[in-house]
Amino acid sequence: MFRAALKPCLLPSAAWSQVRLLCGGAPTQLRVCQALSGAEVGARVRIQGWLRSARSQKANLFLDINDGSCLQSLQVVARPQLNNPSLTFGCAVEVTGLLKKSPHPKQPVELEAEDVSVVGECDPVDFPFKIKERHGLPYLRQFPHLRCRTKVFSALLRLRSEASAAMHAFFRDNGFLQIHTPIITSNDCEGAGELFQVQPPSAESEDDHFFSVPTFLTVSGQLHLEVMSGAFPRVYTFGPTFRAENSQSRRHLAEFYMVEAEVAFTRSLEDLTQLMELLFRRTTEQLLARSDADLDLFHKHVTPGHQLALDRMMERKFPVISYSEAVDILTRSSRSFSFPTHWGCDLQTEHEKFLVQHCGDVPVFVTDYPYDLKPFYARDNQDAPKRTAAAVDLLVPGVGELCGGSLREERPDLLQARLEHAGLRDTYDWYLDLRRFGSVPHGGFGMGFERYLQCVLGVDNIKDVTPFPRHAGSCLL
């Protein structure tokens, strides 16, 4: 009886807000996106963020506060007495007051300020971004330490975060196990020799190896995923990869993120193409559903007209052509290419973009590349007279190659012969073990995460879709 009498009364959250307000209790800490949702209307709240604009009128001071949680800012209405010279564009503030419904139709709520404190001042003269200017991406690129303060780049970072979460969700929902593959490795998965060597400063010579063997920053987690595909049917990894490629192109970085997947018990390239297409579609669908405001910002003000291109990609199935068909299309075209085309040539970016245009400006799969163009692990189709490998690339508008994959050579005799021919037999003896002990047909692919963002957003330069771009000649911060 006594305990029942002391049972606490459960009040709705709105009622508790009124109690806190009447009793002068501590304000509720909210993010701007939470405040804009309207769930805490009537509550005494605290908002922390950065000033996007300040407008002083005779009766009121209007401030727009943003904390990066969403595109829209929260309007603060304050008494003129709360104004001070430190309230400038870019300064950090903390505002306490009553959250109320807004009479303005374009904003759901506004904050009636009791107190406005400047936490960090910002000199508007020296600040490289100006309140009434729309700065282009090349200009923002000069300030990697400050560009996250801008509306455009904060939207990019939210989109990047949402796309990453969507990809992880896709793999989880489709039965994939996430593997944390190593960043430091002793193998060159791609075989191109474009590796950053890892060597401690204390090394006395090039032969003084910390790990007893030469080690490098990874160019791909694929070979480690192949190890795991001997125990799990579906595995993936998502992490940074590195290429010591001396390139200043608009689609290459020295450090970038790759999402890679490996599927056991498959003998079909179609299994891989279906998986690539589904990953692209599901991730983009989630962006359209959850980040529409940020996407609209890009498609209206940064890459106008790209929304139509993205709609076309989402509406049409991705066509599939063979490498031989691709070369035939290129050879018969009236386009003059910088790099000549013939069977056996490596497709260049100009070729890839033309093929995408030829197929209707939608992503297109190119399959069955010449055997000699692909690394040692690609499965030999054993065809004639032109020998090909069971490999596939996904080419997308504006970018070119987005994904690359293949079936893996699971036949020990053919794999050993290929390794010996390439002089890699001793280096990859462990790789042959994978074929000796319970091997199964398998295949996989890798997708460049930054290139995916370029494709979806229509951004021309890959340096504008990553927080801190690393490329030849530049490693700021």
Side-chain angles (χ1 to χ4, degrees):
M1 295 288 291
F2 180 72
R3 289 180 180 175
L6 292 180
K7 186 176 181 180
C9 178
L10 299 178
L11 296 177
S13 59
W16 276 116
S17 298
Q18 292 296 327
V19 170
R20 285 196 301 269
L21 181 63
L22 294 171
C23 297
T28 302
Q29 181 77 41
L30 293 182
R31 299 169 71 201
V32 167
C33 64
Q34 294 171 316
L36 291 172
S37 72
E40 292 286 340
V41 167
R44 186 166 174 263
V45 304
R46 178 187 294 116
I47 297 292
Q48 297 166 329
W50 290 267
L51 192 63
R52 286 277 171 86
S53 71
R55 306 179 301 281
S56 181
Q57 297 182 1
K58 185 175 181 180
N60 289 302
L61 170 67
F62 295 95
L63 309 174
D64 288 333
I65 310 297
N66 191 280
D67 63 356
S69 61
C70 61
L71 183 63
Q72 188 176 352
S73 297
L74 175 66
Q75 179 170 279
V76 174
V77 183
R79 304 184 307 277
Q81 294 84 347
L82 293 177
N83 197 2
N84 74 72
S86 298
L87 282 171
T88 59
F89 173 61
C91 73
V93 297
E94 181 176 274
V95 182
T96 304
L98 179 65
L99 193 64
K100 303 172 63 175
K101 287 186 177 181
S102 173
H104 198 286
K106 291 188 178 181
Q107 56 192 28
V109 298
E110 62 185 24
L111 182 60
E112 188 178 277
E114 302 170 3
D115 179 70
V116 178
S117 301
V118 176
V119 179
E121 296 184 3
C122 180
D123 186 339
V125 176
D126 294 334
F127 194 44
F129 311 128
K130 306 306 175 185
I131 188 169
K132 292 185 179 180
E133 292 184 27
R134 183 171 290 160
H135 303 288
L137 295 179
Y139 178 79
L140 299 182
R141 207 181 302 147
Q142 302 175 73
F143 309 98
H145 58 304
L146 294 174
R147 61 179 177 171
C148 59
R149 310 282 187 90
T150 65
K151 183 179 290 188
V152 166
F153 211 75
S154 64
L156 178 278
L157 293 175
R158 285 189 297 272
L159 287 164
R160 186 181 171 101
S161 178
E162 190 62 49
S164 174
M167 288 184 176
H168 281 294
F170 170 83
F171 285 113
R172 179 197 63 217
D173 295 344
N174 284 276
F176 281 78
L177 180 73
Q178 183 182 7
I179 302 295
H180 295 125
T181 54
I183 290 176
I184 298 176
T185 180
S186 58
N187 69 67
D188 178 7
C189 177
E190 296 296 316
E194 298 167 340
L195 300 97
F196 290 101
Q197 187 163 0
V198 177
Q199 192 81 317
S202 58
E204 296 181 358
S205 70
E206 291 185 1
D207 296 325
D208 183 12
H209 301 300
F210 182 86
F211 294 100
S212 79
V213 295
T215 51
F216 313 92
L217 295 180
T218 184
V219 297
S220 169
Q222 178 205 312
L223 297 186
H224 298 96
L225 287 183
E226 286 198 60
V227 170
M228 295 300 170
S229 68
F232 304 97
R234 292 187 160 204
V235 291
Y236 83 101
T237 190
F238 193 165
T241 52
F242 308 85
R243 302 280 171 89
E245 185 177 12
N246 190 9
S247 172
Q248 295 294 339
S249 81
R250 296 170 183 265
R251 63 179 204 141
H252 289 95
L253 291 170
E255 176 185 350
F256 55 98
Y257 273 70
M258 284 273 285
V259 54
E260 300 178 86
E262 198 74 19
V263 181
F265 301 98
T266 181
R267 296 180 182 272
S268 170
L269 271 183
E270 187 177 1
D271 290 344
L272 301 183
T273 60
Q274 288 177 350
L275 189 61
M276 291 183 208
E277 182 168 352
L278 200 58
L279 172 62
F280 183 97
R281 291 188 183 280
R282 292 291 180 267
T283 302
T284 308
E285 286 169 0
Q286 183 156 326
L287 283 181
L288 290 167
R290 297 175 60 92
S291 303
D292 57 326
D294 289 325
L295 277 172
D296 285 346
L297 174 69
F298 268 85
H299 293 158
K300 288 180 180 178
H301 302 297
V302 182
T303 55
H306 188 69
Q307 179 64 58
L308 294 176
L310 184 59
D311 289 344
R312 184 166 55 247
M313 286 185 252
M314 295 298 288
E315 290 167 359
R316 291 182 53 187
K317 183 171 176 58
F318 300 171
V320 181
I321 61 174
S322 70
Y323 169 88
S324 296
E325 290 172 319
V327 169
D328 186 53
I329 291 169
L330 295 168
T331 304
R332 288 188 291 104
S333 74
S334 59
R335 178 76 61 88
S336 177
F337 297 109
S338 300
F339 294 89
T341 58
H342 55 85
W343 202 97
C345 73
D346 201 358
L347 298 183
Q348 303 297 317
T349 302
E350 60 175 345
H351 304 144
E352 295 169 347
K353 291 184 176 181
F354 179 84
L355 290 170
V356 170
Q357 293 171 355
H358 177 84
C359 293
D361 281 317
V362 296
V364 55
F365 290 105
V366 179
T367 67
D368 301 307
Y369 280 79
Y371 183 73
D372 291 337
L373 289 181
K374 291 303 174 181
F376 64 87
Y377 49 74
R379 195 175 199 276
D380 187 351
N381 282 330
Q382 294 187 299
D383 47 359
K386 296 177 178 178
R387 192 179 184 187
T388 64
V392 57
D393 287 345
L394 176 60
L395 314 180
V396 297
V399 175
E401 182 188 346
L402 173 64
C403 299
S406 73
L407 298 181
R408 316 308 188 191
E409 184 57 81
E410 85 283 3
R411 295 162 290 187
D413 54 337
L414 294 180
L415 179 59
Q416 181 170 326
R418 185 81 187 271
L419 287 170
E420 289 175 351
H421 181 265
L424 299 172
R425 173 67 173 78
D426 294 336
T427 304
Y428 289 97
D429 189 59
W430 64 269
Y431 191 71
L432 283 169
D433 278 351
L434 300 180
R435 273 57 175 175
R436 295 190 187 106
F437 308 116
S439 178
V440 300
H442 61 287
F445 69 91
M447 173 189 284
F449 184 56
E450 282 80 9
R451 288 189 182 182
Y452 166 77
L453 293 172
Q454 277 188 275
C455 174
V456 171
L457 300 177
V459 173
D460 184 52
N461 197 312
I462 198 169
K463 300 176 186 67
D464 297 322
V465 294
T466 188
F468 304 104
R470 273 79 172 94
H471 52 92
S474 178
C475 185
L476 299 177
L477 279 67

